[in-house]
Amino acid sequence: EEDAETLRSWLSDNRVGGFAFDLETERLYTNGDLAGQVIGFTRFEDNKLKGVLGLEAYYNSKLNGEPGYRYARRDNYSNHGTVPFSIPTDQEPVDGSDMYLYLNLEMQEALQDELEQIAGVAGLSSGVSGLVMDVNTGGILAMGQIPTMKSQSPFDLPGGIDPQHWNNDLDEMTDQLSLQVWRNANVSNVFEPGSTMKAITTAIAFEEGVVSEETQFSDDPIDVMTHEISCVYKTGHGIETLREAFINSCNPVFVQVGQRIDMDLFYDYVATFGFRDKTGVDLPAEGNTIFHKQPTILDYANLTFGESVAITPLHMARAYAALVNGGYLVTPMVVKEFVNSDGTVEPLIPAEPVQIV
């Protein structure tokens, strides 16, 4: 506005005509690069804001509202007036709503600090992500990743990326941003879950009553279809309880746990824990999981300790929530409620949690 007033005064003082000043709507983001991929950003297009990523894109019409209009029949005479006795059609404009999130700023800051430390220690500029979710409601309290993104200036050099590895050519930079930065890793990217899957394997075994915490196993290498599966510690741990195998993260033990459960039944549990479908989170571009359609015995053995499959971090978070909330599969949600222009509150009611175990 200050620049506009300066220009307006100059035009007036110098009697320069032919210029008009139009107001443009702008969204301001005041939290730097916190949850940038969750919030997303907007661009000004066709005289209005348009959400491009994240919540801005997912709830674009709710945030921006709808313009008003009037349709009427008009004649072809010089005055181009409305045809007498014709009934015009009016649509009143709808103001956009305010959006309130489950995100907790302090948790978001703590999560981002932790992710930055992990990335620094591991020497990583990407592939580091995390989230915090309320296990009972599915409310997303924090969600972040490295590299970060600023919603206010999404084309800036992302946090966590070495400037030497950044291409400033606009086309190349846009490709880098689309693939490495703007994409919400927690929602869209899949990864091999590894040992985090062992908790799911154990929960299924407990539910079927085939093992207890004190059941003993040998962690000697085990052959499955001529493929040897061994503990990461080549010397092994000998005979140990399931509790100890969990602490030591011994792959052969979890293969044996899986062998006590029918393979088809185990894969049914995989679907029960929500790994076969999208979570339903209110964010765009949610990725789906990758499992074998016709698994072999070796595929199944690898699955028991989290290899040869791919899931999103959000899928695993939801499954873990079910382990500790009494066995309910929740729907992750970022938006808590909208407050409309007339002051009415419109809470977003997530799907009823489904009891799975």
Side-chain angles (χ1 to χ4, degrees):
E1 185 64 23
E2 213 171 276
D3 292 340
E5 281 301 324
T6 301
L7 177 57
R8 197 180 275 116
S9 297
W10 185 90
L11 293 171
S12 175
D13 294 343
N14 292 274
R15 298 182 179 181
V16 178
F19 291 88
F21 292 82
D22 294 325
L23 290 174
E24 285 189 359
T25 306
E26 183 182 7
R27 197 97 77 216
L28 298 178
Y29 307 93
T30 59
N31 289 312
D33 60 0
L34 289 179
Q37 288 88 349
V38 178
I39 303 300
F41 64 93
T42 60
R43 64 169 176 257
F44 201 76
E45 187 177 283
D46 297 329
N47 294 318
K48 62 181 180 180
L49 286 178
K50 181 178 180 181
V52 177
L53 291 174
L55 295 172
E56 289 283 13
Y58 195 89
Y59 289 111
N60 180 68
S61 60
K62 189 70 177 173
L63 292 168
N64 287 337
E66 298 293 338
Y69 60 82
R70 163 172 279 202
Y71 291 140
R73 292 183 180 178
R74 305 180 71 85
D75 59 37
N76 289 323
Y77 295 102
S78 59
N79 61 351
H80 294 290
T82 302
V83 174
F85 307 111
S86 66
I87 302 174
T89 300
D90 292 320
Q91 174 64 55
E92 293 295 324
V94 178
D95 291 334
S97 302
D98 293 334
M99 183 169 65
Y100 291 81
L101 312 181
Y102 285 103
L103 291 184
N104 179 293
L105 188 58
E106 291 183 1
M107 290 186 185
Q108 185 68 44
E109 289 174 339
L111 173 63
Q112 198 63 49
D113 287 345
E114 188 69 20
L115 295 177
E116 289 172 4
Q117 289 184 42
I118 292 170
V121 169
L124 297 172
S125 61
S126 64
V128 181
S129 63
L131 65 105
V132 180
M133 187 177 79
D134 186 316
V135 298
N136 295 308
T137 67
I140 302 295
L141 305 174
M143 181 179 282
Q145 65 191 72
I146 302 294
T148 61
M149 184 199 87
K150 292 181 180 178
S151 294
Q152 192 65 34
S153 47
F155 285 88
D156 284 0
L157 175 70
I161 289 186
D162 189 331
Q164 294 181 352
H165 299 148
W166 190 249
N167 195 320
N168 287 316
D169 176 78
L170 182 59
D171 290 336
E172 293 287 338
M173 181 176 66
T174 302
D175 287 342
Q176 274 187 286
L177 287 166
S178 298
L179 294 173
Q180 299 179 32
V181 182
W182 293 346
R183 187 179 175 91
N184 189 327
N186 288 289
V187 173
S188 301
N189 291 358
V190 294
F191 74 109
E192 199 173 54
S195 292
T196 57
M197 194 69 188
K198 291 171 182 174
I200 306 299
T201 298
T202 304
I204 295 171
F206 284 169
E207 188 68 17
E208 289 299 309
V210 296
V211 296
S212 72
E213 293 180 21
E214 304 307 320
T215 303
Q216 292 188 327
F217 296 91
S218 167
D219 79 335
D220 290 341
I222 184 170
D223 290 325
V224 180
M225 293 180 64
T226 71
H227 181 82
E228 183 181 272
I229 298 172
S230 60
C231 181
V232 67
Y233 299 101
K234 295 304 180 183
T235 56
H237 300 91
I239 302 298
E240 58 187 349
T241 64
L242 180 58
R243 181 198 300 270
E244 292 168 333
F246 212 100
I247 294 170
N248 295 324
S249 195
C250 295
N251 291 352
V253 170
F254 289 90
V255 173
Q256 294 172 70
V257 171
Q259 289 174 342
R260 298 191 179 196
I261 306 166
D262 178 76
M263 183 171 72
D264 291 336
L265 177 60
F266 193 98
Y267 275 89
D268 286 343
Y269 269 107
V270 166
T272 299
F273 272 98
F275 289 117
R276 290 291 195 182
D277 303 304
K278 294 182 179 181
T279 68
V281 67
D282 54 341
L283 285 169
E286 181 179 5
N288 213 337
T289 58
I290 301 172
F291 285 83
H292 294 94
K293 288 185 177 180
Q294 295 179 309
T296 64
I297 302 241
L298 179 58
D299 295 329
Y300 176 38
N302 287 331
L303 172 59
T304 62
F305 55 88
E307 293 185 4
S308 78
V309 297
I311 63 173
T312 70
L314 192 58
H315 275 94
M316 185 56 83
R318 184 169 69 148
Y320 266 57
L323 295 182
V324 297
N325 69 7
Y328 289 90
L329 201 63
V330 297
T331 300
M333 295 286 288
V334 183
V335 176
K336 186 176 184 180
E337 63 188 17
F338 288 97
V339 176
N340 300 320
S341 57
D342 60 2
T344 58
V345 178
E346 184 182 334
L348 292 190
I349 309 299
E352 192 72 22
V354 178
Q355 186 159 21
I356 59 173
V357 290

